[in-house]
Amino acid sequence: MKTTVGSLLLSAGIATANPLAPRSSGVQGFDISSYQGTVDFSGAYSSGARFVIIKATEGTSYIDSDFSSHYDGATSAGLIRGGYHFAHPDEGSGADQATYFLDNGGGWTNDGQTLPGMLDIEYNPDGSECYGLSASDMVSWISDFGETYNSKTGRYPMIYSTADWWSTCTGDSTDFSTNYPLVLAQYASSISTVPGGWPYQSFWQNADSYTYGGDSDIWNGDSDSLSTFAKG
């Protein structure tokens, strides 16, 4: 997952618990994996960051070696944190990968400091862009993952993707726009395209670097609405 800080132009609105409700401001955060190694969580918090999304698993056989230390470090620094799963739809069912994610750090609790898990579904790093699946089969795979996650946590996972991949590999499906918060990857100073019928993104990965480690993400709201979202 490629994951800076830029100007964010947002529509006015009221902060609510609805993950798709309009937001009125932005909050800095970031995402990381073992690629980053040591991360300055306290420095990030002091600079204004309030959340971090941490790689936990990939496919059905990979657990990020730094997930536990990253999670503990983020917790100690006071950051809202959560895990993400890098999907490999060619390596097992959505249900199997959701279960693997949940068994290895991807769960959610309503303690106000835990984000719902995130499904990182994007370009295949090892082969066919869409993992050999048709658009309808990809939509079914994502639904299998999401429904499994929801059945075990009471929350639908966030979905991370790009507008291009989503259009190409799901046929720009609108099936997830009501219940699944969107984490949109688009490296720019403003957002040009929101895919899949989502009225806007919940989080925006706006660059592939962040001063204190990892990639930059922006929550589409203020700190209070971020806390409300985390609590569910």
Side-chain angles (χ1 to χ4, degrees), residues 15-71:
T16 78
N18 182 344
L20 298 177
R23 309 298 184 184
S24 59
S25 60
V27 176
Q28 178 68 53
F30 57 112
D31 61 79
I32 55 174
S33 70
S34 60
Y35 180 80
Q36 276 74 45
T38 301
V39 176
D40 184 0
F41 294 105
S42 295
Y45 188 92
S46 295
S47 76
R50 291 296 178 265
F51 69 90
V52 58
I53 306 171
I54 305 166
K55 185 174 184 178
T57 52
E58 183 170 338
T60 56
S61 60
Y62 177 85
I63 299 171
D64 191 281
S65 59
D66 287 325
F67 175 74
S68 292
S69 62
H70 282 162
Y71 202 88

